[in-house]
Amino acid sequence: NKNTNNNNNNNKNNNNDDPFEEALCREVLEESGVVVKPGSLRFANSQPWLFPQSLMVGFVAEAEPSPAAPLALPTVAHDENELEACGWFSREYVAARLGGGGISLSADTSGTAAAEFHVPGRVSLAHTLITAWATEGLEPDEYS
């Protein structure tokens, strides 16, 4: 996501001089430790965001493989100050957890089994992207 409002001090990725693609690669690396393949980025959709003059943009992308283990998923080393949790999940795992899906944008952090994996509410761009990937099998090159 990239906030386009220079007056919002709560969002550090609001540098309007950065193209969205550069901001995405930088933020994914800073927040998860995962390097994005720049050539794999595909714009998927956008939606207005909560802050005035702000826009949420959605991209799909592939991760660069780890040089040490090119056939394995890259190691996730998320910044707990930026993200509550971050990880890799199979399509089957995600698709099985898409049922229901309320309209809430907040995660259940109660620590219960039901809270182990959170899909944002149906009105969110994140839900749209996750659903397309998990149920339709869309890959980065299949988005517009």
Side-chain angles (χ1 to χ4, degrees):
N1 89 43
K2 181 175 177 180
N3 185 320
T4 59
N5 179 0
N6 272 334
N7 298 319
N8 179 3
N9 293 325
N10 294 325
N11 193 325
K12 69 179 181 69
N13 50 345
N14 61 0
N15 185 345
N16 285 334
D17 295 334
D18 289 345
F20 287 134
E21 296 83 357
E22 287 180 22
L24 179 134
C25 292
R26 181 189 68 245
E27 293 299 314
V28 169
L29 180 60
E30 288 176 8
E31 296 177 10
S32 71
V34 174
V35 176
V36 171
K37 286 183 184 177
S40 73
L41 287 168
R42 298 290 182 268
F43 174 78
N45 212 334
S46 63
Q47 75 177 51
W49 195 231
L50 303 172
F51 305 105
Q53 300 176 354
S54 297
L55 179 69
M56 174 72 73
V57 291
F59 285 83
V60 293
E62 295 178 28
E64 288 281 6
S66 167
L71 299 178
L73 291 170
T75 301
V76 172
H78 81 282
D79 179 345
E80 292 181 7
N81 295 316
E82 296 282 343
L83 296 173
E84 185 174 314
C86 184
W88 299 109
F89 303 93
S90 70
R91 275 194 173 95
E92 296 78 19
Y93 182 91
V94 174
R97 283 149 181 85
L98 284 173
I103 59 170
S104 172
L105 293 178
S106 61
D108 175 2
T109 58
S110 64
T112 64
E116 70 184 33
F117 182 83
H118 171 73
V119 177
R122 289 177 281 186
V123 298
S124 71
L125 178 56
H127 189 279
T128 301
L129 294 175
I130 291 168
T131 300
W133 174 79
T135 63
E136 300 168 27
L138 294 180
E139 296 294 339
D141 62 348
E142 297 175 305
Y143 287 81
S144 56

